[in-house]
Amino acid sequence: MRTDTPQTVLLADYAPFPFDIDRVSLEFLLHPTETRVTSVLNIRRTSEGDAPLVLDGDGVTLENIEIDGQPLPTSAYDLTETTLTLRQVPDAFELRTIVTINPSTNTALSGLYLSGGRFCTQCEATGFRRITFWPDRPDVMSRFTVSITADKSAYPILLSNGSPRSTEDLKDGFHKAIWDDPHRKPSYLFALCAGDYDVLKDAFTTASGRVVDLAIHVDAGEAGKAKWAMDCLKRAMAWDEAVFGREYDLDVFNIVAVRDFNFGAMENKGLNIFNSAYVLADEDSATDLDFQAIESIVAHEYFHNWTGNRITCRDWFQLCLKEGLTVFRDQEFSADMRSRPVQRIKDVIRLRARQFPEDAGPLAHPVRPDSYGAIDNLYTATVYEKGAELIRMLKQLIGADNFARGLEIYFERHDGEAATIEDFYACFESASGQNLSAFRQWYAQPGTPEIIIRESWAPATATLTIEVQQSVSGNAGAEAKPLPTPLACAIIGGNGTHLSHTSADNGEFLLISDDHQVVRTLAFPAGTERPSLSVGREFSAPVILRRHLSRDETLSLIKVETDPFNRWDLSQSLVRKQILNTTYGGGPIDAGLVDTVAQLSLDAKDKDPAFAALLLRLPTTGELFLDHKPADPIALDAARKDLKSALAARLTSELTVILNAPQPTPFRPDAAQAGIRDLRSAALDLCAHHAETAPFLNGRFEAATNMTEQQAVLSALLASPEDASDALAKFYAQWAGNPLVIDKWFATQARLGRVTELEALAEHEDFDLGNPNRVRALVGVFATGNLAGFHAPDGSGHDFVATFVRRVDPRNPALAARLLTTFEQWKDLTEDARQSAERTLRKLSAAKLSQNASDILQRIIG
Ligand code: TRP
Ligand code: ZN
């Protein structure tokens, strides 16, 4: 029965499906309000006994059902709102069902729906049951043949997974296409698209010489904006062959861009479906961040072809098996395409901004949970981002060669299967000969470990003693244990070179923190001067690393540190302390610190402008929440602005130099040019906090030649809203026809505006409750990027977001649940804001919410 309290699903309850479905043939007769789906399944019992056949089906109307050509009487099956049960079935048989569904009313964007008048599907995790009756679980894999019939003039292009077999014109203006997917796959990878598209075509020749036809399908007139995505796709295909030995396995690879999509993109076999925000880009309308996001998401979905599709997940508890590994792969790809250190810093910023708070709050869960309430809510930063960090740690622990061999074994051993984390780790145990069971505790235990490093130097014996203490957070549970954690270290001598010592090599080594306390003593030749310790290099583990270093010790360490990530991180730690000091201690701004940060950035600016920009970047208000509780976003915001003003004052003349340098032309979205524009944007951001810059910025707005600059200037102007009205109006007028840029127009105001202004924006004719990108641009960006507004003590921000949760929930539960997660830090707020949040959440809990939203709400309220 359908119920609105989430039913907990337990990993311990896993049982294999008692039947095998070797082949499935699906026939779609497409119609916006009544689509008919005929399915023919070849079913064979694979278990002892006479288990009934239970199929999932949600919102599908059964029109006809036959076994081996014989219509079934209604007494032979039970139909509930979510299941079809056939109590007695033969051991081998053909089941034929005909159902009808209504895509035009599908606002949840799960299953078969319409976007911009075109048909598309989203089946992960449980959308396929909204299309037809089927055992909708990832361990049931089958070979799909799909026939699509539709009106040819309205839907000239008909796509599904695999390779096209035939197309045929029918009477009455209809046509039909048949697609065969030779690879067995779970239902969540099924896809169908139909409509009128502009198509950008290309081809890729694989390492073994097969030619793959590539095509990206977009809205009329937009094919030119898919060029970058196509370029990314070809580079991803070549990279996966070169780095992981993975070749593509079909004759065609199709991408379809849709405007209405709940997520970034989806890896359906041979037919990836993308949120159009991650396909369309050109210099006028897309920022460098957009180009970069497209590169990583196109690669991510493509890489799923092996890590996710060829080898899929046995059940949804194993989601990190495909997502953690695939994020790791896309991060490596981006690191190879761009600057590795800059990429690593950006990945860590994202992890700390999104995953650390999740792991510290009421929504914390293990990377591989053992229970869940609503599956859509498991697509979290923990599963994706922390999941990727665990793979990165594994690689460090067993070494790159064993890691590569382990993956080879994995692809070899489990190709065509639905696997578990245990299966995956068994491959690396085979490859390395190591027992990895202690490491696997990382998958079971939530919470971010804290590691404290203390060092002492004994000059008489020239020994350095490193003491590593690990404590696990409250969220890790009563049974929590220290987790095996690789800390990449180097010992750096006075002249900046790595020093050798007793236990290693050329000074670089792994220190494993696997107990509450680990002590390591390193001996150096007599007379050695006190060396410096570099630890956690390249952010070698997803932990909070604390060192008891004074400001001056930190500054001298930055000077010798050989790891760029650590140089950046040490500098950020000072910036962070400064902001926290001003916020909670009322301390003055440390001019020496401002000078150092400014100088570090200036030193890097010619060689690596992207790195220089990162040094000038201040931690976001949200990142600072974890450092001090209760957190006061309004005071944090003010302290950030003070520090920006101080940096701007220190850098006045240098900022002018940066902003007066000519823009790189012709525009290219590569890392080199993007870095230059990053630094310009950082400079514009600082200018915003310098008095009397409005005329200057308005001039820059007129002169902007690309979206990165236009957006950066608009944001800078919005720091004082009275200066921005002109530019906002011009921006809107210029981009009124481009929904992706209008999303930016909403998002920029949501990030910087006041609730009253945002309430007016919610009434704007371009605001569309049915479009997730637009809702996220206004409400999501407000709740995650404008914390002073969201957590205003008068409760106006909380009300604003809660109102949208209630309005969105009946049409799109997955989106509403995601908006609701933004309340996860409410218990950490200062008194007034905390009480307001609690009132809002309690009020919400009295309302009738979807399972997705109540699952989040119950966990958040606790
Ligand atoms: N598997 C997709 C990815 O990682 C995620 C995804 C796409 C998704 N659409 C979804 C998850 C809808 C849940 C619901 O790229
Ligand atoms: Zn993914």
Side-chain angles (χ1 to χ4, degrees):
M1 277 311 292
R2 188 185 289 283
T3 139
D4 289 309
T5 4
Q7 298 294 293
T8 303
V9 187
L10 299 176
L11 172 56
D13 290 345
Y14 174 82
F17 189 63
F19 299 89
D20 176 71
I21 308 178
D22 180 44
R23 282 180 183 282
V24 46
S25 135
L26 299 172
E27 271 178 50
F28 287 82
L29 179 55
L30 292 178
H31 186 277
T33 59
E34 190 178 87
T35 285
R36 173 177 297 258
V37 186
T38 304
S39 101
V40 179
L41 318 184
N42 291 102
I43 306 183
R44 191 173 49 84
R45 190 185 294 279
T46 50
S47 70
E48 297 290 311
D50 58 354
L53 176 70
V54 185
L55 303 178
D56 301 297
D58 184 359
V60 297
T61 307
L62 184 63
E63 306 284 352
N64 188 52
I65 178 165
E66 292 175 3
I67 283 189
D68 293 329
Q70 297 299 311
L72 282 191
T74 48
S75 59
Y77 57 88
D78 296 322
L79 207 49
T80 71
E81 273 197 74
T82 54
T83 55
L84 167 64
T85 303
L86 280 69
R87 285 184 300 272
Q88 275 187 330
V89 291
D91 288 343
F93 60 102
E94 185 186 275
L95 175 69
R96 186 166 182 273
T97 63
I98 300 178
V99 303
T100 49
I101 51 179
N102 184 351
S104 74
T105 54
N106 182 350
T107 54
L109 312 185
S110 162
L112 179 68
Y113 65 95
L114 288 161
S115 176
R118 289 171 288 257
F119 287 94
C120 66
T121 53
Q122 173 54 39
C123 293
E124 188 177 8
T126 53
F128 192 74
R129 64 188 63 184
R130 293 159 60 89
I131 295 175
T132 190
F133 287 105
W134 179 264
D136 195 10
R137 42 188 282 173
D139 59 343
V140 176
M141 300 170 80
S142 189
R143 266 176 283 266
F144 284 66
T145 295
V146 177
S147 124
I148 310 167
T149 302
D151 183 304
K152 190 173 183 176
S153 61
Y155 311 104
I157 296 181
L158 308 173
L159 305 170
S160 190
N161 315 90
S163 305
R165 183 205 297 174
S166 61
T167 54
E168 183 188 348
D169 283 337
L170 308 171
K171 60 179 173 30
D172 300 329
F174 278 70
H175 68 152
K176 171 159 128 178
I178 299 179
W179 290 79
D180 286 307
D181 186 350
H183 300 280
R184 282 165 71 95
K185 67 166 177 287
S187 52
Y188 82 86
L189 292 173
F190 167 81
L192 177 155
C193 294
D196 197 359
Y197 308 95
D198 269 6
V199 188
L200 178 69
K201 292 187 176 173
D202 208 325
F204 179 83
T205 305
T206 68
S208 66
R210 254 178 336 95
V211 177
V212 182
D213 291 326
L214 311 176
I216 302 182
H217 302 72
V218 298
D219 282 12
E222 312 237 272
K225 289 190 198 158
K227 282 191 191 137
W228 172 248
M230 182 64 88
D231 180 59
C232 296
L233 174 61
K234 289 189 288 180
R235 282 184 283 123
M237 294 177 86
W239 185 89
D240 211 16
E241 291 179 347
V243 177
F244 286 94
R246 299 296 108 203
E247 217 178 288
Y248 188 62
D249 54 7
L250 289 165
D251 304 327
V252 300
F253 187 80
N254 284 307
I255 288 179
V256 174
V258 302
R259 170 77 188 134
D260 305 287
F261 202 71
N262 274 346
F263 228 72
M266 181 62 212
E267 69 263 25
N268 317 298
K269 184 82 189 185
L271 176 53
N272 288 1
I273 300 181
F274 272 63
N275 187 325
S276 56
Y278 301 112
V279 174
L280 303 174
D282 62 17
E283 65 179 288
D284 295 333
S285 64
T287 64
D288 289 309
L289 276 179
D290 296 324
F291 280 101
Q292 216 174 302
I294 291 168
E295 184 172 79
S296 76
I297 294 175
V298 166
H300 179 99
E301 305 312 331
Y302 174 72
F303 296 156
H304 268 314
N305 190 53
W306 274 95
T307 50
N309 300 3
R310 288 290 286 251
I311 306 178
T312 193
C313 303
R314 188 193 73 172
D315 53 67
W316 293 119
F317 298 99
Q318 321 295 328
L319 182 59
C320 65
L321 176 70
K322 74 178 177 80
E323 295 305 345
L325 179 55
T326 304
V327 170
F328 170 76
R329 277 151 53 70
D330 85 54
Q331 290 177 345
E332 284 295 297
F333 171 71
S334 293
D336 281 350
M337 294 300 118
R338 293 165 179 266
S339 149
R340 184 163 280 270
V342 167
Q343 180 63 31
R344 186 62 184 143
I345 292 169
K346 290 181 175 174
D347 291 339
V348 174
I349 288 174
R350 185 183 168 98
L351 181 81
R352 284 177 173 159
R354 300 177 37 182
Q355 200 279 323
F356 278 23
E358 184 169 273
D359 230 350
L363 298 178
H365 56 278
V367 171
R368 206 263 309 262
D370 43 31
S371 73
Y372 60 77
I375 181 58
D376 292 332
N377 294 339
L378 203 61
Y379 291 77
T380 60
T382 296
V383 168
Y384 278 68
E385 258 73 39
K386 189 175 179 180
E389 293 298 321
L390 302 195
I391 304 291
R392 187 180 304 277
M393 283 197 289
L394 168 68
K395 182 177 174 184
Q396 294 176 79
L397 284 170
I398 64 174
D401 291 347
N402 285 332
F403 181 72
R405 212 164 326 127
L407 272 177
E408 283 298 327
I409 295 172
Y410 177 62
F411 291 128
E412 171 77 17
R413 209 183 266 177
H414 295 291
D415 188 11
E417 292 180 4
T420 61
I421 286 295
E422 283 75 11
D423 294 331
F424 180 74
Y425 273 84
C427 299
F428 295 93
E429 294 195 331
S430 297
S432 67
Q434 291 181 35
N435 180 336
L436 298 169
S437 58
F439 180 72
R440 283 218 325 270
Q441 181 65 12
W442 270 103
Y443 285 84
Q445 190 171 302
T448 308
E450 230 183 89
I451 292 186
I452 300 175
I453 310 273
R454 289 193 185 80
E455 45 186 299
S456 57
W457 173 250
T461 51
T463 51
L464 181 71
T465 301
I466 307 168
E467 190 191 308
V468 182
Q469 256 180 309
Q470 184 179 150
S471 59
V472 288
S473 79
N475 269 337
E479 243 107 277
K481 297 185 255 217
L483 300 168
T485 302
L487 298 173
C489 298
I491 304 296
I492 304 167
N495 59 359
T497 59
H498 290 185
L499 296 187
S500 297
H501 48 82
T502 36
S503 58
D505 53 52
N506 61 347
E508 284 197 48
F509 61 104
L510 271 193
L511 202 165
I512 312 291
S513 160
D514 56 0
D515 209 337
H516 296 288
Q517 191 178 27
V518 170
V519 180
R520 189 85 170 259
T521 300
L522 310 175
F524 297 88
T528 305
E529 282 202 29
R530 178 176 189 152
S532 301
L533 171 66
S534 165
V535 56
R537 296 165 71 81
E538 291 180 49
F539 196 74
S540 60
V543 298
I544 295 167
L545 201 61
R546 296 199 195 283
R547 297 179 72 172
H548 293 285
L549 299 176
S550 68
R551 164 182 176 273
D552 291 339
E553 285 166 337
T554 308
L555 292 180
S556 33
L557 186 53
I558 292 176
K559 293 212 177 75
V560 294
E561 178 57 83
T562 50
D563 174 48
F565 172 82
N566 271 352
R567 263 204 317 277
W568 171 81
D569 203 31
L570 288 165
S571 162
Q572 285 276 297
S573 73
L574 291 174
V575 167
R576 198 178 265 266
K577 262 190 217 148
Q578 173 68 67
I579 298 173
L580 292 167
N581 262 341
T582 330
T583 307
Y584 302 112
I589 288 181
D590 174 350
L593 177 145
V594 171
D595 195 56
T596 306
V597 172
Q599 199 53 54
L600 282 171
S601 177
L602 292 176
D603 291 347
K605 97 180 194 336
D606 296 322
K607 235 179 69 212
D608 193 349
F611 188 69
L614 285 167
L615 286 164
L616 291 180
R617 166 195 184 276
L618 306 190
T620 62
T621 304
E623 284 173 76
L624 296 159
F625 261 48
L626 290 178
D627 288 325
H628 184 282
K629 290 171 193 172
D632 182 346
I634 295 170
L636 284 167
D637 247 21
R640 285 180 86 251
K641 282 182 189 142
D642 287 350
L643 185 53
K644 275 193 192 178
S645 304
L647 270 168
R650 161 65 182 80
L651 287 168
T652 312
S653 58
E654 289 89 348
L655 294 181
T656 312
V657 174
I658 291 168
L659 290 171
N660 283 341
Q663 286 263 16
T665 46
F667 180 95
R668 277 191 313 272
D670 59 16
Q673 280 200 8
I676 296 171
R677 287 185 291 268
D678 275 355
L679 186 58
R680 291 178 73 91
S681 300
L684 285 164
D685 183 42
L686 291 180
C687 280
H689 297 277
H690 204 50
E692 309 302 325
T693 48
F696 167 76
L697 287 173
N698 273 307
R700 287 295 161 141
F701 185 80
E702 300 292 334
T705 58
N706 58 69
M707 183 48 72
T708 301
E709 177 111 343
Q710 202 179 14
Q711 160 95 65
V713 179
L714 188 65
S715 298
L717 277 166
L718 268 162
S720 8
E722 59 286 1
D723 297 335
S725 50
D726 240 29
L728 272 175
K730 283 183 189 150
F731 191 98
Y732 181 80
Q734 181 184 352
W735 293 110
N738 184 326
L740 292 176
V741 187
I742 295 301
D743 287 340
K744 297 183 196 305
W745 185 76
F746 277 93
T748 310
Q749 297 177 78
R751 193 174 305 110
L752 295 152
R754 285 181 284 258
V755 173
T756 45
E757 293 152 358
L758 304 190
E759 277 164 350
L761 275 181
E763 300 299 317
H764 193 280
E765 58 172 335
D766 285 350
F767 186 74
D768 177 1
L769 207 58
N771 177 249
N773 287 3
R774 193 56 50 88
V775 173
R776 283 186 289 251
L778 182 63
V779 190
V781 169
F782 171 68
T784 55
N786 186 346
L787 294 187
F790 179 35
H791 297 308
D794 68 0
S796 54
H798 294 148
D799 277 349
F800 181 71
V801 176
T803 301
F804 276 99
V805 170
R806 291 182 66 159
R807 288 175 63 197
V808 169
D809 196 42
R811 36 160 73 231
N812 188 337
L815 178 60
R818 200 143 295 250
L819 293 177
L820 193 50
T821 63
T822 57
F823 279 94
E824 71 181 342
Q825 290 184 300
W826 71 274
K827 283 185 184 155
D828 299 336
L829 295 164
T830 44
E831 196 54 21
D832 287 355
R834 198 170 58 78
Q835 282 175 6
S836 140
E838 178 156 21
R839 268 196 309 277
T840 308
L841 292 169
R842 298 246 174 248
K843 222 163 47 191
L844 212 47
S845 71
K848 191 176 153 10
L849 294 176
S850 67
Q851 290 200 23
N852 285 23
S854 7
D855 172 52
I856 297 288
L857 186 61
Q858 286 170 20
R859 283 152 64 200
I860 285 195
I861 294 179

